[in-house]
Amino acid sequence: MLEKKIVGVVVGSNDADAHQKSFQEGEQVAKLIDEFGEFEACLIEIGKGPWLLHYDDSKATFDKEKFGTIIRRRRVKPDSVLILTKGKVGETGELQEYFDKMGVPFSGSGVDDTRQTFNKSECNQIFKSEGLPTVGSYLINNSKLATENLFDKIEKVFGFPCIVKPNRGAGSKGITKVETRQEIKEAVSLAFKQDHQVLIEPHIFDGVEVTCTVHDITLDELLEAFPVTEIRTQGEVFCFENSTKSEILTPVAKFNTE
């Protein structure tokens, strides 16, 4: 009898609370995979410390060179992985690059796609090159450039309110809606705590925030899309502080298909 293939459910975060939530969600997913019966499942726990592999009520240090470990005298080596991490640990493209290097299929976007979408400024440039409407923005490349003269120029170009955010942030952290000239310095400092680059954009008053997953999980070579989902935030902007209070609508209630 052939052994079942093993799906590694990758969980974890550099943030303690998010790490715990990711781990709990991963346990639920692994349980569903096991109950389905076609595959076995294990958890690959990653974060600030050594990677751990959880399997059959046991755990051991994950060997990143051999892509697996020994548990109860059995070598456990996932055949594919499902990425359920939270925050930067799974969004920068480094994790995807590792799995790609090891020749292990993984869920989600590829290496280049993940890196480009994580970099908001670079992603905007790609949209512009494809002729898609994109709001103007200004990228502050390092904190030394965040001077009072620069803030004066931003006020003239964008006015207030404007949005200040880390260029490569995660978890909607470090985002501020700036109402006045006096508030911008503090907002920029907050964003710099998340990344060494900060992006400033005009505030869109009547925008609808949507998200849509494009996938190729079918057997043909065509890309397909799931229904468009609308995110209705309870605060001024969608940020870490109010992300859990947001309303998720699928499909989107009102949408201009043009």
Side-chain angles (χ1 to χ4, degrees):
M1 181 178 177
L2 294 176
E3 289 188 349
K4 297 177 182 179
K5 290 189 175 183
I6 301 176
V7 178
V9 182
V10 187
V11 299
S13 174
N14 290 329
D15 176 83
D17 291 337
H19 186 98
Q20 183 64 23
K21 186 175 181 180
S22 174
F23 189 90
Q24 292 171 347
E25 292 175 352
E27 284 185 314
Q28 294 175 352
V29 171
K31 182 180 179 181
L32 290 173
I33 293 173
D34 284 331
E35 289 177 350
F36 183 67
E38 189 168 341
F39 305 100
E40 286 189 284
C42 66
L43 287 183
I44 303 175
E45 182 183 5
I46 69 176
K48 294 182 178 180
W51 289 19
L52 298 174
L53 189 144
H54 300 254
Y55 176 78
D56 195 21
D57 295 325
S58 299
K59 65 181 178 180
T61 300
F62 185 86
D63 189 331
K64 295 173 69 175
E65 295 296 326
K66 297 181 179 180
F67 200 79
T69 191
I70 303 293
I71 290 183
R72 297 186 178 181
R73 298 182 180 181
R74 176 186 174 182
R75 173 161 292 281
V76 182
K77 184 176 182 179
D79 298 284
S80 61
V81 294
L82 178 63
I83 301 176
L84 294 181
T85 55
K86 293 186 181 297
K88 285 186 178 182
V89 69
E91 297 180 8
T92 64
E94 294 180 8
L95 187 63
Q96 289 78 2
E97 183 178 32
Y98 165 70
F99 292 137
D100 192 52
K101 178 183 177 182
M102 300 304 294
V104 177
F106 56 89
S107 63
S109 301
V111 178
D112 292 337
D113 295 333
T114 303
R115 280 180 174 155
Q116 290 170 345
T117 53
F118 187 64
N119 187 315
K120 299 178 181 65
S121 178
E122 184 177 342
C123 194
N124 284 342
Q125 294 303 318
I126 294 174
F127 290 153
K128 288 181 181 179
S129 68
E130 294 295 330
L132 296 173
T134 308
V135 298
S137 61
Y138 185 86
L139 181 68
I140 307 177
N141 279 302
N142 62 71
S143 58
K144 293 182 179 180
L145 299 175
T147 63
E148 295 298 329
N149 287 337
L150 176 62
F151 297 154
D152 289 339
K153 293 178 181 178
I154 289 172
E155 181 178 16
K156 292 179 181 179
V157 174
F158 294 123
F160 296 105
C162 67
I163 301 297
V164 176
K165 63 180 76 172
N167 184 44
R168 289 167 292 197
S172 302
K173 293 182 179 180
I175 301 175
T176 306
K177 179 183 177 183
V178 178
E179 299 282 1
T180 66
R181 170 67 174 78
Q182 289 72 30
E183 298 174 2
I184 190 169
K185 184 176 181 179
E186 182 179 352
V188 169
S189 296
L190 179 65
F192 269 124
K193 292 180 180 179
Q194 301 297 323
D195 186 36
H196 66 267
Q197 292 180 323
V198 169
L199 196 66
I200 299 179
E201 298 174 334
H203 179 251
I204 306 300
F205 290 89
D206 57 351
V208 177
E209 181 155 1
V210 298
T211 182
C212 182
T213 297
V214 178
H215 67 85
D216 60 351
I217 60 177
T218 53
L219 298 178
D220 56 39
E221 296 182 356
L222 301 177
L223 293 176
E224 297 184 9
F226 287 131
V228 178
T229 292
E230 178 181 350
I231 302 172
R232 291 183 179 177
T233 182
Q234 297 298 312
E236 291 279 2
V237 293
F238 183 75
C239 60
F240 177 76
E241 286 72 21
N242 60 38
S243 59
T244 59
K245 304 175 184 177
S246 299
E247 184 180 4
I248 307 298
L249 299 176
T250 305
V252 61
K254 293 176 64 178
F255 194 59
N256 184 346
T257 56
E258 296 180 2

